[in-house]
Amino acid sequence: MPADPSPPTDDSSPESSGASPGPSSETVHVPVMPDEVVHWMGEDSPRVIVDGTYGGGGHSRLLLDTLPPGEGHLIGLDRDPLVSQRVESEQHDPRLNVFLGSYEKIPKALQAMGLSAADAVLLDVGLSSDQLADTTRGFSFAVDAPLDLRFDPEFGTPASDWLAWKREEEIANAIYQYGEERCSRRIAREIIARRRREEPVRTVNDLVEVCRRCVPRPKNHDIHPATRTFQALRIVVNDELGIMERTIKAAPDWIAPGGRLVVISFHSLEDRIVKNAFRDDDRWEILTKKPIRPADAEVHANPRARSAKLRVARRIADPNQS
């Protein structure tokens, strides 16, 4: 795996991840809507494809087949260093190059490859099954661990530290805004109360216990009381929505005219960003008037796909370009 192109300057319920202790060198992630991705990205015979959320590499392996035999480039990016370790141990197609970094770094990855633009870009956002299976960073409820929640443990602030110094109002607002958790104020109040008792929330079990105390478990609903809060904190510490907004806003600058951007999102906040970005920028031609949803057979085989929404837009040529 090449170095970070920029040098340093959701749905799924974690409790049901089937996680095993510690990270694994093998991927367990199942790509979502693979046939749809291949169709929408390969339709115009792209020669430069970017998988901005490489993960287990499932989408990338399929997309390589859409390139001309022995030609073209497929560039992958991922923030998780465990992906880097796995890719380095694999033998793969020489047309594939994977970079350690957020998909916000796509322009730098293209530059590193001597390329000016991409013909097709995929963003499959959110948490992967591999991260749920890694019980060392707090993504899963299955095993107690430090409450970290960062995709890249080398950068940013762990969720436990974020909770240790933020004000009650900020914590409540984040949990409500990013997790759509109605009991956010109650949860924030309990977190602050623990801090005052010198029992700060430091681990997965600490936060799960807070949520169990503060969130009534709804009848006939299998969602864990901590699911929305964990989602919110993960989004905050990884700046997921900020990166997504900035990337889609800038994408027309480095997607070639006629090129496509395919985005798979897993909750309403993400999907709203994609929908609005495509609608509000006249450099995009929207190809999916409504989001595409996975087929029932896929959801049955891979329940984590159930909330996925896929949207596609084509980069329109600038009027002043011949």
Side-chain angles (χ1 to χ4, degrees):
M1 172 181 279
D4 183 342
S6 176
T9 40
D10 216 354
D11 169 73
S12 302
S13 173
E15 65 177 331
S16 61
S17 67
S20 57
S24 171
S25 61
E26 296 183 1
T27 182
V28 296
H29 187 69
V30 178
V32 173
M33 289 192 276
D35 294 340
E36 292 85 345
V37 167
V38 169
H39 167 75
W40 287 101
M41 294 190 70
E43 199 170 36
D44 290 336
S45 303
R47 298 182 67 87
V48 178
I49 299 174
V50 176
D51 183 349
T53 44
Y54 183 80
H59 284 128
S60 287
R61 283 187 287 273
L62 297 172
L63 290 169
L64 278 167
D65 291 336
T66 68
L67 292 172
E71 299 179 15
H73 299 274
L74 199 154
I75 298 173
L77 293 95
D78 203 285
R79 301 171 72 177
D80 195 328
L82 293 181
V83 172
S84 171
Q85 295 173 22
R86 185 177 66 250
V87 171
E88 287 174 352
S89 68
E90 294 176 341
Q91 291 185 341
H92 51 73
D93 192 306
R95 296 173 296 173
L96 171 66
N97 289 270
V98 184
F99 291 87
L100 176 62
S102 160
Y103 56 75
E104 192 173 17
K105 307 299 186 183
I106 290 174
K108 292 185 178 295
L110 289 167
Q111 184 180 27
M113 295 295 299
L115 301 168
S116 59
D119 299 316
V121 176
L122 170 66
L123 305 179
D124 178 6
V125 300
L127 190 66
S128 77
S129 300
D130 293 329
Q131 287 159 335
L132 282 173
D134 175 7
T135 60
T136 65
R137 283 182 278 170
F139 292 118
S140 171
F141 304 156
V143 178
D144 195 21
L147 188 65
D148 192 311
L149 300 180
R150 291 173 295 173
F151 293 145
D152 185 348
E154 298 298 321
F155 296 95
T157 302
S160 56
D161 289 354
W162 190 89
L163 291 174
W165 61 274
K166 285 295 185 180
R167 295 182 295 110
E168 179 179 331
E169 182 180 8
E170 290 180 273
I171 295 172
N173 288 345
I175 294 173
Y176 182 78
Q177 180 179 358
Y178 301 126
E180 300 178 298
E181 173 56 71
R182 295 182 179 180
C183 298
S184 61
R185 297 196 181 280
R186 194 180 306 168
I187 293 168
R189 193 178 307 122
E190 178 63 19
I191 289 170
I192 297 300
R194 287 184 60 117
R195 270 170 32 186
R196 290 171 178 159
R197 296 196 304 267
E198 298 186 357
E199 300 174 358
V201 172
R202 305 295 302 175
T203 70
V204 169
N205 282 355
D206 290 341
L207 185 56
V208 167
E209 177 59 26
V210 168
C211 294
R212 287 190 188 278
R213 291 167 58 96
C214 298
V215 181
R217 190 144 194 170
K219 297 179 180 179
N220 303 320
H221 204 313
D222 199 28
I223 186 170
H224 190 284
T227 296
R228 293 188 178 95
T229 298
F230 271 73
Q231 171 186 291
L233 294 179
R234 191 201 78 222
I235 288 173
V236 166
V237 300
N238 292 293
D239 189 25
E240 292 181 45
L241 300 186
I243 289 174
M244 188 179 191
E245 283 189 295
R246 294 190 296 271
T247 300
I248 298 178
K249 182 178 180 180
D253 296 333
W254 39 260
I255 292 181
R260 296 184 176 191
L261 176 58
V262 176
V263 185
I264 301 174
S265 60
F266 290 85
H267 61 75
S268 59
L269 296 174
E270 296 167 342
D271 183 60
R272 191 177 305 130
I273 289 172
V274 182
K275 177 182 177 180
N276 292 342
F278 285 170
R279 181 197 62 199
D280 296 341
D281 191 329
D282 58 11
R283 294 175 294 178
W284 292 121
E285 175 192 0
I286 298 173
L287 301 183
T288 51
K289 301 305 180 183
K290 293 183 178 180
I292 297 171
R293 304 299 299 271
D296 291 343
E298 179 179 359
V299 174
H300 179 75
N302 180 20
R304 289 179 183 156
R306 64 185 178 273
S307 62
K309 295 180 180 180
L310 183 150
R311 292 184 185 269
V312 186
R314 178 191 287 123
R315 171 70 162 91
I316 298 174
D318 296 326
N320 57 349
Q321 291 183 344
S322 57

